[in-house]
Amino acid sequence: KITADTFYNVNYQKVFKLLEKIYKTQKIDLMNFTTEFKKSGIDEKIYTEIIGDYISSATWEYYADNVIKCYQSRKLQNLLLEQAEKINSTNASEIISVLSPCLTDIDYIAGEMRENTQLERMVELVPMIEQMLTNPDYSKGYMTGLTNLDSIIMGIHNELVVISARASMGKTALAQKLALKFAEKVKVNFIELEMSHVQINLRNVSILSGIRLNDIKFGIVRGDKYKVGRIQKAMDMLATGVIGSNYKITEPRNRKLQTIINAIRRDVLRNDTKIVFVDHIGLIQSENGNRQHWENVAEISHEFQKLQRELNIPIILLAQRGRESEGGLQKGNMATIRGSGAIEEDADLILMIEHARATDKSEQEKMGADSENIDAQIYVSKNRNGSCGVANVVFRPAYINFIDKTGDKK
């Protein structure tokens, strides 16, 4: 549970290291300890103090917890004193950004030091295995509503997920569809860096009402009471219904990495948010602007991976793909994700959207009158904890939506 550095007293540190040394070669008992202590040159007063306050197997855990609490207290005091001298009216937000990850590290000191035996870990695993064997839905994640995709990934789990596509190919549309679906059951935070909350909510209204976005924006449906009613119902769902209670759009005051990380951590801890979307990773600013772009992207990717492990919730990042992915020659290729190979390495699940652009004249001719329904594929290019594959879907750009390939296109 502790290390030598956890102790404040230098002599205690020496004694702890001595015990570690003895443990490597022989059994630790009073006789062996006494013999090795006399050889060590440690102050003899410490020997008397330790023997007089002997730690038994019944009290060691209580003692170790107190040592950790004292260590945490010292670390916190030193951190606050160090930063207090630097605070002024112009840098408060920067100091908060510096303090936040440090406070998290201090808070998790005890957990990081604890090392459970394999027997203890197996005991923890027993009820989970029992649930897996008796409850068919236990291992399912948050179902996306796209049957073809869910059949491959069994829903979105507590993992770092990346949705990637070229510009205007529907990655935000897919993320919005999933966010609205998940918000039917749990709290969702949609962190938007590219569009305003007005644009996002207009798109949400289109998704929920099933009415073309342009028909809403340009008032084409104003004379159709049925469609206007559907729009009003969608707005009610986003305002006061279950979705309205669970769905939140966050527009960070800046795009700095630590600001976004802090906002996510605070929201999860305070509001019990269960799923976070970030649109998109290419717009996040690293704390160090002097490095090459790929280095900054790697840092951002690593920090989100750490955050996901810490919070143990799905964090879904949107990412752009490079131009080389155009033309259909690089379908599902993770190497085309723009920025850094670190995204490919850090993500647990990578979904890549592929379809022909409706703006291509040749493709328009192929699709003919049904150009609003574009055959598309969602490649499960990486799935650390499951299967990979291809889900056939239909992209409906006018409705900002994806549906199953066999679904109703009307």
Side-chain angles (χ1 to χ4, degrees):
K1 292 193 67 174
I2 57 179
T3 65
D5 294 336
T6 316
F7 293 93
Y8 175 73
N9 188 305
V10 175
N11 284 314
Y12 289 174
Q13 294 178 5
K14 293 179 180 178
V15 170
F16 192 89
K17 290 177 181 178
L18 177 63
L19 288 169
E20 289 181 314
K21 178 183 176 183
I22 298 171
Y23 178 74
K24 291 178 181 178
T25 58
Q26 56 189 310
K27 179 182 177 181
I28 296 181
D29 57 29
L30 187 57
M31 184 177 295
N32 290 336
F33 174 68
T34 301
T35 301
E36 295 299 325
F37 186 91
K38 290 180 178 179
K39 297 178 184 178
S40 67
I42 303 173
D43 190 343
E44 291 186 4
K45 294 179 181 178
I46 299 298
Y47 176 83
T48 306
E49 184 178 335
I50 291 173
I51 301 303
D53 190 21
Y54 187 69
I55 307 301
S56 71
S57 58
T59 61
W60 74 267
E61 191 164 8
Y62 171 78
Y63 178 74
D65 285 338
N66 281 336
V67 171
I68 290 171
K69 288 176 182 177
C70 291
Y71 178 67
Q72 289 177 308
S73 176
R74 290 196 305 274
K75 293 282 286 185
L76 182 58
Q77 288 175 352
N78 292 337
L79 175 65
L80 295 177
L81 287 172
E82 177 186 334
Q83 297 298 328
E85 298 177 357
K86 302 177 182 179
I87 298 175
N88 58 54
S89 60
T90 62
N91 67 355
S93 60
E94 285 77 7
I95 296 296
I96 291 172
S97 296
V98 171
L99 286 175
S100 183
C102 297
L103 292 173
T104 300
D105 290 341
I106 293 172
D107 186 40
Y108 279 84
I109 283 171
E112 290 173 356
M113 291 181 175
R114 185 186 302 274
E115 292 187 6
N116 294 332
T117 66
Q118 190 64 3
L119 173 60
E120 290 171 327
R121 296 189 186 281
M122 286 299 102
V123 170
E124 292 177 2
L125 198 59
V126 168
M128 185 184 298
I129 296 293
E130 289 178 345
Q131 286 286 345
M132 290 176 177
L133 296 177
T134 58
N135 182 0
D137 295 329
Y138 179 78
S139 297
K140 291 182 179 179
Y142 298 99
M143 306 308 280
T144 67
L146 293 169
T147 307
N148 295 336
L149 178 60
D150 284 329
S151 66
I152 301 172
I153 64 174
M154 300 303 289
I156 300 294
H157 298 78
N158 293 342
E159 297 176 331
L160 183 63
V161 181
V162 172
I163 298 175
S164 185
R166 281 290 289 146
S168 300
M169 296 285 276
K171 61 182 178 298
T172 302
L174 178 60
Q176 285 183 261
K177 178 185 177 67
L178 299 186
L180 293 171
K181 176 68 175 177
F182 300 154
E184 294 175 1
K185 295 184 177 181
V186 297
K187 290 185 180 295
V188 175
N189 189 354
F190 200 97
I191 298 178
E192 181 56 47
L193 305 175
E194 189 170 33
M195 291 180 274
S196 70
H197 66 275
V198 173
Q199 293 172 305
I200 290 293
N201 271 326
L202 277 173
R203 292 160 62 105
N204 286 337
V205 170
S206 177
I207 294 171
L208 292 174
S209 66
I211 297 174
R212 293 180 184 88
L213 179 60
N214 280 349
D215 289 357
I216 298 172
K217 289 172 65 177
F218 301 115
I220 296 173
V221 298
R222 67 172 62 92
D224 189 327
K225 292 183 179 180
Y226 173 67
K227 290 185 177 181
V228 170
R230 283 163 56 182
I231 293 172
Q232 291 173 336
K233 182 178 179 181
M235 294 182 69
D236 287 341
M237 293 171 65
L238 288 166
T240 59
V242 174
I243 292 177
S245 300
N246 288 338
Y247 183 89
K248 177 170 71 172
I249 300 171
T250 298
E251 297 174 282
R253 66 179 185 274
N254 61 59
R255 294 177 175 179
K256 290 185 178 179
L257 172 63
Q258 204 56 58
T259 298
I260 295 169
I261 294 287
N262 292 344
I264 293 172
R265 182 183 288 115
R266 184 166 54 248
D267 182 56
V268 170
L269 296 178
R270 290 182 180 178
N271 302 321
D272 196 31
T273 294
K274 297 298 185 184
I275 304 176
V276 174
F277 291 79
V278 181
D279 182 19
H280 59 83
I281 193 172
L283 296 175
I284 299 174
Q285 298 173 355
S286 171
E287 301 300 316
N288 188 341
N290 297 322
R291 295 179 303 186
Q292 294 188 39
H293 177 66
W294 69 266
E295 293 178 298
N296 290 333
V297 174
E299 178 195 3
I300 293 167
S301 176
H302 294 333
E303 288 300 315
F304 274 107
Q305 185 194 48
K306 286 166 55 181
L307 183 68
Q308 190 283 318
R309 300 296 184 268
E310 171 194 331
L311 300 177
N312 193 32
I313 64 169
I315 295 182
I316 302 171
L317 304 177
L318 276 59
Q320 295 272 25
R321 296 179 68 187
R323 292 188 181 91
E324 67 274 15
S325 64
E326 294 275 16
L329 301 178
Q330 300 279 352
K331 287 189 174 182
N333 187 349
M334 294 181 288
T336 60
I337 298 176
R338 185 182 295 173
S340 170
I343 299 174
E344 176 184 342
E345 295 170 4
D346 293 336
D348 298 299
L349 176 68
I350 296 180
L351 306 177
M352 309 192 79
I353 302 169
E354 299 280 3
H355 61 76
R357 288 187 182 274
T359 52
D360 294 342
K361 186 175 181 180
S362 60
E363 294 300 327
Q364 285 181 342
E365 292 174 354
K366 290 179 184 178
M367 290 183 288
D370 200 27
S371 60
E372 285 187 348
N373 298 281
I374 302 172
D375 287 344
Q377 302 82 39
I378 299 177
Y379 279 72
V380 182
S381 298
K382 179 180 180 181
N383 190 358
R384 197 188 300 275
N385 298 304
S387 303
C388 294
V390 182
N392 291 313
V393 295
V394 173
F395 177 44
R396 311 189 74 200
Y399 299 85
I400 321 296
N401 205 358
F402 283 83
I403 60 174
D404 280 314
K405 178 63 183 270
T406 56
D408 182 6
K409 296 182 182 181
K410 293 183 180 179

